[in-house]
Amino acid sequence: MGEGTIDESSHDASSHGPAHLFAKTLVDPEQRLRLYETILSNTPDLIYVFDLNHRFTYANQALLTMWGRTWNEAIGKNCLELGYPPDHAAMHDREIEQVIATRRPIRGVVPFTGTHGSRLYDYIFVPVFADDGRVEAVAGTTRDVTEAKRVELELRDSDRRKDEFLALLAHELRNPLAPLRNGLELLRTTGDDPATIRRLQDMMDRQFSYLVRLIDDLLDAARIRQNKLTLQRSRVSLDHVVAAAVEAVQPLSAARGHQLSVSMPETPVFLDGDLMRLAQIFSNLLTNSAKYTEPGGKLWLTARLAGGEVEISVSDTGIGIDPRAFPLIFELFSQAEEAGKRHEQAQGLGIGLALAKTLAEMHGGSIHAESDGIGKGSRFTVKLPVLNGEAEETLPAAPVKQATASGKRRILVVDDNQDAAQSMAMLLEMMGHDLRIAFDGLAAIATAEQFQPHLILMDIGMPRLDGREATRRIRAQPWGTTMMIVALTGWGQENDRTASRQAGCDGHLVKPVRLQDLEKLLMELDAET
């Protein structure tokens, strides 16, 4: 056994406690003995008594079981004679002498290997006083705290990782904010040079997209922890899955000058799965490889059929993986580090690999990582079951045309964030629509009755009256039954969409809304009228 962690109790273990008073009410010594023996033999704690020579004069059944000995084998022996390691036996000898000398309890936590295996025990030794005040023995109790300590360590580790994650989140949020702020200042001061303006717009759009991706990652992390990730399954082509993943990583890979090679089976491969989520698996893996591969490096995505499965490997010539990182590499909020320091290009929150693993398993597959070590690249291999039989290939949805809906519409924008409401109104006005704005739910009802909009973009979380209740009240009016009402909100989980639908909303868009999604919505409105 190892060293114990010892601290002295601040109270005196005298014989004047409640147990002592209770004992005096039992006049019959045999009755008292039976009572004590029943209690001590049935408690899971280890209870024992040492004489002044450090020998056991009592051990309850739990302790005998842990030792794997009978009472006759244990009585009168000390710790060393009972097989305790010498350093542990010597430690207890010192503690017994200290209790006798100071007349005070002593406490510690120590590992011990008995019949229950290697466990961690919390123990306390207390003096037993004779009638004349002398210490006549030392009693002790020991409790198995292995699981409690494990939980405590896990909570400490979780708390530490939470603090590290919050610091990382703040860092990652500031990264795109700096170029966005710089871009705004440059737009204010630059001339009318179209090339400069276009370059600034492209830069700001990239940084904005990164902010949106961070938020999406946070939402997916919450769904993982709450077991709320869902799949919209259909028959999908592996070619379309990989094409979508490669398209997503292309800007980052191109910016870093990577050579990306893709090798697919000659025979078409079909999967039963969610096209978007399957693509997310491989875009996350490719993004991870791109982040950890130096400029000019190489990335490969290779797929091959193996029986009833397809194996898709994403490999790179990047910084590799320290063997010590493998146990946590698919854990939420963990990121591999190079030589104890975060790699300068390793943007992200440590969510992508955890999400890839979860999504692969939800599709009945698996994922594992390989690396020969630091500086020697890495490989992530996903195995997924393949659909059998012939069937028509499911094509991805046709892209939304970048054209403005032709019909001029009356649109009411409702949002308590005035900048958000006004900027959305400006965008829709540029598209040729007639706009009104309301900044809370009550104003939305009054404006809707007067303006009679074709479409209401309704924020949800607002003061005075939230968007869902405003929608219910509008739907309750004769003039509000045919209006198209779409929730436009930062709340984007499945239960939020369900709540919007139940309140009477025709759709649910999550901020920040993409222009093509807004145009698609207006086109659908045109088609319905």
Side-chain angles (χ1 to χ4, degrees):
M1 302 178 76
E3 289 294 324
T5 302
I6 302 171
D7 71 290
E8 295 187 2
S9 172
S10 60
H11 62 274
D12 186 14
S14 69
S15 59
H16 300 289
H20 180 75
L21 294 175
F22 175 67
K24 286 185 176 295
T25 66
L26 300 175
V27 179
D28 184 357
E30 292 187 3
Q31 181 186 6
R32 184 189 310 174
L33 181 62
R34 286 196 302 272
L35 174 64
Y36 285 175
E37 189 60 36
T38 299
I39 295 173
L40 298 178
S41 295
N42 287 280
T43 179
D45 290 345
L46 316 179
I47 300 175
Y48 43 90
V49 177
F50 298 105
D51 64 18
L52 299 184
N53 293 317
H54 310 175
R55 298 185 177 279
F56 286 94
T57 60
Y58 175 79
N60 72 340
Q61 187 57 51
L63 179 56
L64 294 172
T65 300
M66 192 271 286
W67 283 336
R69 294 176 179 268
T70 66
W71 172 238
N72 289 332
E73 292 172 336
I75 183 66
K77 293 183 178 178
N78 59 31
C79 291
L80 186 62
E81 292 168 341
L82 286 170
Y84 283 56
D87 59 339
H88 182 200
M91 179 184 70
H92 282 341
D93 286 337
R94 292 192 301 271
E95 291 169 343
I96 293 169
E97 287 300 323
Q98 184 175 332
V99 171
I100 296 170
T102 64
R103 302 164 61 86
R104 297 173 66 83
I106 194 168
R107 188 171 184 174
V109 177
V110 67
F112 184 77
T113 301
T115 58
H116 306 311
S118 182
R119 310 290 292 176
L120 195 65
Y121 293 97
D122 183 347
Y123 63 91
I124 183 169
F125 294 168
V126 298
V128 178
F129 296 100
D131 291 339
D132 59 5
R134 293 179 299 102
V135 175
E136 63 177 0
V138 174
T141 61
T142 295
R143 175 165 295 177
D144 187 336
V145 293
T146 308
E147 294 305 315
K149 287 294 182 181
R150 181 187 61 79
V151 171
E152 179 184 343
L153 290 174
E154 287 179 354
L155 289 173
R156 287 181 182 177
D157 183 63
S158 176
D159 193 53
R160 176 187 58 78
R161 291 175 62 189
K162 177 200 69 177
D163 291 342
E164 291 175 352
F165 171 71
L166 290 175
L168 177 61
L169 175 60
H171 177 273
E172 290 300 321
L173 289 174
R174 289 191 186 100
N175 275 342
L177 290 178
L180 284 172
R181 170 64 72 184
N182 294 339
L184 288 172
E185 294 297 333
L186 288 168
L187 286 174
R188 291 191 184 100
T189 58
T190 191
D192 296 330
D193 179 16
T196 300
I197 293 174
R198 179 64 178 174
R199 189 165 63 252
L200 289 173
Q201 289 174 334
D202 289 344
M203 178 272 292
M204 295 176 73
D205 184 64
R206 286 195 303 272
Q207 298 302 321
F208 178 77
S209 297
Y210 178 61
L211 272 175
V212 172
R213 191 164 70 248
L214 284 178
I215 294 169
D216 288 342
D217 280 351
L218 285 171
L219 290 174
D220 280 337
R223 294 184 185 112
I224 290 175
R225 295 175 71 88
Q226 298 169 18
N227 197 27
K228 289 185 177 180
L229 274 178
T230 58
L231 301 178
Q232 302 298 321
R233 288 181 178 272
S234 64
R235 182 181 178 86
V236 297
S237 164
L238 180 63
D239 285 340
H240 290 146
V241 170
V242 171
V246 170
E247 180 182 6
V249 78
Q250 193 65 44
L252 174 61
S253 180
R256 293 178 57 75
H258 292 149
Q259 179 182 336
L260 174 57
S261 300
V262 177
S263 175
M264 301 292 292
E266 293 184 3
T267 305
V269 176
F270 298 99
L271 308 170
D272 176 25
D274 185 318
L275 174 60
M276 183 191 73
R277 290 301 193 179
L278 285 168
Q280 193 173 7
I281 295 173
F282 301 107
S283 65
N284 285 0
L285 294 179
L286 286 167
T287 298
N288 183 75
S289 287
K291 289 190 300 185
Y292 288 100
T293 298
E294 299 293 342
K298 296 181 179 181
L299 312 180
W300 296 271
L301 187 150
T302 304
R304 70 179 188 90
L305 287 169
E309 293 182 322
V310 59
E311 294 184 359
I312 308 101
S313 294
V314 174
S315 52
D316 58 65
T317 58
I319 66 172
I321 304 171
D322 190 318
R324 293 171 296 180
F326 279 102
L328 294 176
I329 199 167
F330 292 111
E331 294 293 324
L332 276 174
F333 313 133
S334 66
Q335 271 189 336
E337 296 183 348
E338 180 185 17
K341 184 175 72 174
R342 192 164 175 266
H343 193 262
E344 62 178 358
Q345 294 297 332
Q347 292 181 321
L349 301 175
I351 292 172
L353 293 182
L355 183 58
K357 179 176 185 292
T358 298
L359 291 173
E361 291 174 348
M362 289 177 68
H363 282 88
S366 63
I367 183 172
H368 74 275
E370 300 172 83
S371 175
D372 292 331
I374 295 297
K376 297 182 179 180
S378 61
R379 179 185 297 105
F380 291 83
T381 301
V382 177
K383 295 182 180 181
L384 295 169
V386 173
L387 276 180
N388 295 320
E390 297 294 329
E392 291 296 321
E393 182 176 343
T394 301
L395 297 175
V400 179
K401 296 180 180 179
Q402 298 296 318
T404 303
S406 57
K408 181 176 180 178
R409 295 289 173 180
R410 295 188 302 275
I411 301 175
L412 171 61
V413 176
V414 185
D415 200 319
D416 63 320
N417 184 320
Q418 296 190 18
D419 287 341
Q422 290 169 353
S423 60
M424 176 61 73
M426 290 171 62
L427 181 62
L428 291 167
E429 283 176 336
M430 290 176 60
M431 296 168 64
H433 301 287
D434 188 8
L435 267 293
R436 295 291 186 276
I437 298 174
F439 297 127
D440 62 64
L442 293 177
I445 297 171
T447 305
E449 183 176 14
Q450 176 188 10
F451 183 48
Q452 294 290 299
H454 299 103
L455 170 65
I456 301 176
L457 297 177
M458 182 75 75
D459 188 26
I460 297 300
M462 295 186 294
R464 300 182 68 191
L465 189 71
D466 69 54
R468 284 191 286 265
E469 183 58 30
T471 299
R472 292 188 187 96
R473 295 189 188 185
I474 290 173
R475 291 300 192 204
Q477 303 301 320
W479 47 264
T481 56
T482 58
M483 292 177 182
M484 187 173 189
I485 305 177
V486 175
L488 179 57
T489 174
W491 302 99
Q493 299 205 42
E494 189 58 36
N495 59 323
D496 300 314
R497 298 176 186 275
T498 300
S500 296
R501 189 163 53 249
Q502 292 173 345
C505 291
D506 299 294
H508 188 108
L509 295 177
V510 179
K511 297 177 182 177
V513 65
R514 298 183 303 171
L515 179 60
Q516 56 263 43
D517 290 336
L518 192 58
E519 290 175 333
K520 179 182 178 183
L521 178 67
L522 295 173
M523 289 176 183
E524 290 173 351
L525 183 59
D526 274 339
E528 292 176 2
T529 57

